[in-house]
Structures are given as C-alpha cells and as structure tokens.
Amino acid sequence: MTMSHVGELMPDVRLDRGSPVPLYFQLALQLEQAIEDGRLAEATQWANEMTIADQLRLSRPTVRQAMQHLVDRGLIVRRRGIGTRVVASHVRRRVQLSSLYADLDRAGQRPSTAVLSLRQVDGPSDVRAALAVAQDEQIWEVVRIRSANDRPIAHLTNYLIATGLELTAGQLQSGSLYGVMAKAGLDIHSGVQTIGARNASAEEAKLLAAKRGEAMLTVERTVFDDSGRALELGRHLYVANRYAFTMNLPPALP
Amino acid sequence: MTMSHVGELMPDVRLDRGSPVPLYFQLALQLEQAIEDGRLAEATQWANEMTIADQLRLSRPTVRQAMQHLVDRGLIVRRRGIGTRVVASHVRRRVQLSSLYADLDRAGQRPSTAVLSLRQVDGPSDVRAALAVAQDEQIWEVVRIRSANDRPIAHLTNYLIATGLELTAGQLQSGSLYGVMAKAGLDIHSGVQTIGARNASAEEAKLLAAKRGEAMLTVERTVFDDSGRALELGRHLYVANRYAFTMNLPPALP
DNA sequence: CAGTGGTCTAGACCACACC
DNA sequence: GTGTGGTCTAGACCACTGT
C-alpha cells in the first residue's frame, strides 16, 4: 500500500494503490467529499491537472477521468484557458430513481407502511401490456398506504413481474420496494414517469383521511432493467397538501 | 460461434478529420443516430473497441470516449468480458431543463402564448430571497397564459433578475423564456423544482377556463448559472386534466 | 483458453482566455 | 506571450466472462 498527498490548493488526498477501487475513483470520491465538507470552497481556483497529477504521482488522463466524474455530476465547472472551480451548493444530487420511503427517511419523518393487499393477479390490461407479460403469466399486485408520523400520505399500487420474485408483507413493511427488488436480482437501469393531478374520489379521500375532491398528485412510473425488460409499474396517489416532489435538474448534456 | 464480418456490426461511420468537431463526438453522434434509426438493433452484439478503432483509424481511448458518452446517456450497456449492446428503446432523452413550449411543439400541439403582464417589480419577499437580489434591485415579473390549440393549459408567473436583461412581449410570444435568456448570455447550468398540486381558486379557474376546485398541478422551479447565481424563478399552474409531466429517469450513477 | 471492456501511463498538439 | 483544459495517440496490464 502506497500513499501520496498534496497540500496547497487541493485537499488531502490519499490514494491506496493496492486497493481494488480504481485510482480515478478514489480521487473522485475524495474530491467529492471535500466539496461536501466545504474544504474546497466554491470560489477558489483549483490546482491544474498537471500539478495534481504530479503531486499524486498519477498520469494526466487518470486525473481527468476523476474530474470528468465530478463534471458529470454537476459539482465542478471547467473552462479551457480559465481553470476549474466548484459550482454553488444548491444542487448536489442528480435526479434519480428515488423511493418515497428514502425521501421521508431523509427528512426524519418516521415513515411507516401498511400493506393493504399482496397477491398475484392478472391485473389491468394496460398494465399487462406495459409490463409485456405473457398471456398466462400472473403478476404481483401490491397495495400499500404510506404514512409519516402516523398520518397517511400516499396510496401506492404497484405491479411487478412475478418471475423469480418472492414477496412477503414483512419485507415491504420494513423496506422499500426497490430494495426488495434489488435483493431478488432485479436491477433497475432506468425508467419513465408521468406526474399529474386529479381530484380525490370519495373512496380515496376516506383511505387517506382527506376531503372528497381534494387535489391529489398522481404518479405513474415504469422501471426497466438494462435489457429493456419492464420490471415494475407503480400507480401512486399522494395527498398534495402533505407531499410534493422536489427534484434537482442536472446540467444539460452537450 | 465464430467471427462474422465486422463491417456488419457497425453502421457506416464517416469521420471528418478537418472538422472542428472532435472525432469522439462525431463518432458518438453517428452511433446515437444509428441507434435512433434502428440501424443498430437492441439485441445485437457490437464489434469490440479494437476493431472499431482499427476500422476508423482511431486510437482506442478515442473510441472509448465516444462510447462512454452513450453509456452516460443510457443508450448502451457495456460489460467486461461480454461486450457492448444497445439498451431498449424505452428511454432516450435524459431528464433535463425542458420548457413547456418545446414539449408542446414536439407533440405538434400548436402552442401559443399570451403575455398578460411584463414589468419590473419588487416582487414577493420569498422570491427576492430565492433570487438573492440586492435591496434596491428590481426584478422582472412575467405573467403569461400558455395554450395549445387555443385552449388554455397553464398560467405562468416568472421572476427574472433584471441585471443586463431586456425583455419585450414580442420575444416572449414567439419563443421560450429560456431561449430569450440564452440570447442575453444567461446560461443555465442546473436547477431545482418542486411539483405539487392544489385546487383551483375561482380566479385561477376563470383564467384557465376550468372549474373552481379543479385539481391543478403546481411547479416551482429555480434555475442557476454555473457560478450558483439564481437566474430565474417560475411559479406555474397547469390544468391537470390537460397536461402532465412525463420525464425519463436516467440510469443511476455509481 | 481467448476475448471483452476497465484501468493506467507518457507523451503530443491544439483552442482558448488572460496578461 | 503563458497557462489552462480539450483532444488524440500508442502502447501496457488487469479483471471478468464464456469456452
């Protein structure tokens, strides 16, 4: 194990050349951490690539690879002839597949889940089409109520392909749906979602302790694995005056 | 399985070495186009990096740079020991700063804009705080109605920093707000938005030819330049049964 | 085993911004 | 001018996959 460090315009970076973690990634992680910690202020100019490479005994392409990682995440800006600096702290996290559970957990809201029903069904025809399941194939249907501090927030209906996926109410109560899917080897690559709104029906209002006609947020989300296979489709209903979606808009790609 | 003709595994790519467009970018663009056109099917295995590099007389790093571009956009998947293939066609565009105007235009909906008011104001204190304007500084306030096929869809209120920005109703009627900002040299880096819902007030319903109490989508969006300076804050109200937000969820970053 | 992509190096030349 | 990041090359070794 060999360590290096730099001191001036760069935070202390320690590279472990014996680690299986790539050098560029070790550097990117530590730079990212330094930005989060405020050790690399927003305005300050960075040392240039050559200097960093020399000090860390890395080649320039390796340093560039680490920096490109930060550029892709919108954390730094680089300009030819000018240099590198940290962008402001307003945005850190990219828009990504997030779950309501994690969102609530982050906000310290003590989320809880009640599984209303969990069964294998045929399901609506448009859902079957979206999931591209065979004619004789059943799918999982999960209906849940999500609450924060014991106050209902959302009514969640999810349909999942059943192949190779075992679901129990206990799993769903203790964790997020995507966590369960990941454990079953269903790896999400990307997805598409539509956010809309509508007035609550009497039944929905009752389930969510809201008023009939109250504005509700609707989300329909479908996620795919990297072969393009649809894994899951969710239809969610949120009480709009208790929950809203906040998302970061990443830098536009060239 | 033995080798087949490598030429069949790649589309015709023509590189112009005299062009100011980087070679890796020319390659990425043409591969992306080939994927869109279906010339590179989803399932087919690609020629490997070395082969592509040899055929195009490029170095391997240059070919890799082009491919990484496509990986970042979620268009292809690469696996060590396996190869490269195109992901399914469900998702193409990343979530990005998009404008309602462009969205409608793409769908062939004949969008139109009516500017209800355009003036410099003090503005609400929370908006002034979000835009971080000085105490004696005024900001632009733009109020518009967006319609599609002459049917009102959204009520848009936008606040912009006034420094170095001249606005006329004509500009806003013919193009998007972000287009006008770009022409003025205000380059957007990233942003943050919150999507919620509420019931329409009587006044809002009248403006948008909707019913009182009808569910409306609300969006509050703030965009920043790469120095972190807030450029614009928009508060938008959409008639939910005429418009919804569809967005692609990009692959999660490692 | 052979083939794939992942990582890393050591150079080179260029475009651009500021002095 | 000088200094910056952007592009490009020609190698090398490694980790992983399927045979």
Side-chain angles (χ1 to χ4, degrees), chain B residues 38-74:
Chain B
R39 280 176 286 148
L40 280 173
E42 294 171 10
T44 58
Q45 192 82 5
W46 284 27
N48 63 42
E49 292 177 346
M50 307 285 210
T51 308
I52 296 173
D54 287 346
Q55 286 190 342
L56 298 175
R57 304 185 191 288
L58 292 172
S59 69
R60 191 181 163 210
T62 300
V63 173
R64 281 186 62 78
Q65 194 174 0
M67 297 225 173
Q68 190 57 46
H69 203 78
L70 302 183
V71 170
D72 290 341
R73 296 182 171 233

Side-chain angles (χ1 to χ4, degrees), chain A residues 30-189:
Chain A
Q30 293 182 49
L31 290 177
E32 192 171 341
Q33 195 59 51
I35 292 171
E36 299 282 353
D37 296 348
R39 278 177 288 148
L40 278 173
E42 294 171 10
T44 58
Q45 192 81 5
W46 284 27
N48 64 43
E49 292 177 347
M50 306 287 209
T51 308
I52 295 173
D54 287 347
Q55 289 188 341
L56 296 175
R57 304 187 195 289
L58 291 172
S59 68
R60 190 181 164 209
T62 300
V63 173
R64 281 185 62 78
Q65 194 174 359
M67 297 225 173
Q68 190 56 47
H69 203 79
L70 302 183
V71 171
D72 290 340
R73 297 184 169 231
L75 297 178
I76 64 176
V77 176
R78 321 194 71 197
R79 290 214 190 290
R80 171 154 37 181
I82 305 286
T84 302
R85 62 177 171 70
V86 178
V87 303
S89 57
H90 302 288
V91 172
R92 286 288 137 86
R93 205 166 43 101
R94 270 179 179 270
V95 176
Q96 56 189 11
L97 299 171
S98 68
S99 67
L100 175 57
Y101 188 94
D103 291 346
L104 293 172
D105 201 33
R106 251 193 304 277
Q109 293 261 351
R110 318 278 164 80
S112 62
T113 304
V115 177
L116 300 191
S117 96
L118 168 62
R119 51 183 186 150
Q120 295 204 15
V121 297
D122 287 336
S125 61
D126 59 336
V127 172
R128 294 182 65 79
L131 294 180
V133 291
Q135 219 168 24
D136 57 348
E137 201 178 343
Q138 288 209 307
I139 57 180
W140 284 106
E141 180 199 69
V142 188
V143 182
R144 295 170 294 169
I145 295 279
R146 264 294 155 73
S147 304
N149 300 325
D150 298 324
R151 189 186 176 94
I153 285 194
H155 181 266
L156 315 171
T157 305
N158 291 83
Y159 300 95
L160 300 89
I161 59 171
T163 309
L165 182 61
E166 274 307 313
L167 290 181
T168 68
Q171 289 174 316
L172 296 172
Q173 226 135 7
S174 61
S176 81
L177 187 57
Y178 292 149
V180 175
M181 291 169 67
K183 278 183 189 162
L186 298 181
D187 289 326
I188 293 168
H189 173 262

Side-chain angles (χ1 to χ4, degrees), chain B residues 9 34-35 37-46 84-88:
Chain B
L9 297 176
I35 293 171
D37 296 347
R39 280 176 286 148
L40 280 173
E42 294 171 10
T44 58
Q45 192 82 5
W46 284 27
T84 301
R85 61 175 173 72
V86 178
V87 303

Side-chain angles (χ1 to χ4, degrees), chain A residues 73 79 85 88 90 94 97 189-195 197-199 213 215 226 228 240 245-247 249 251 253-254, chain B residues 73 79 85 88 90 94 97 189-191 193-195 197-199 213 215 226 228 240 244-249 251 253-254:
Chain A
R73 297 184 169 231
R79 290 214 190 290
R85 62 177 171 70
H90 302 288
R94 270 179 179 270
L97 299 171
H189 173 262
S190 56
V192 59
Q193 72 181 0
T194 297
I195 302 180
R198 72 158 187 265
N199 299 95
D226 61 18
F245 290 91
T246 296
M247 58 190 74
L249 302 166
L253 294 177
Chain B
R73 296 182 171 233
R79 288 210 194 291
R85 61 175 173 72
H90 302 289
R94 272 179 178 270
L97 298 171
H189 174 263
S190 56
Q193 72 180 0
T194 297
I195 301 179
R198 70 158 189 266
N199 300 95
D226 60 18
F245 289 92
T246 296
M247 58 190 75
N248 295 336
L249 302 165
L253 295 176

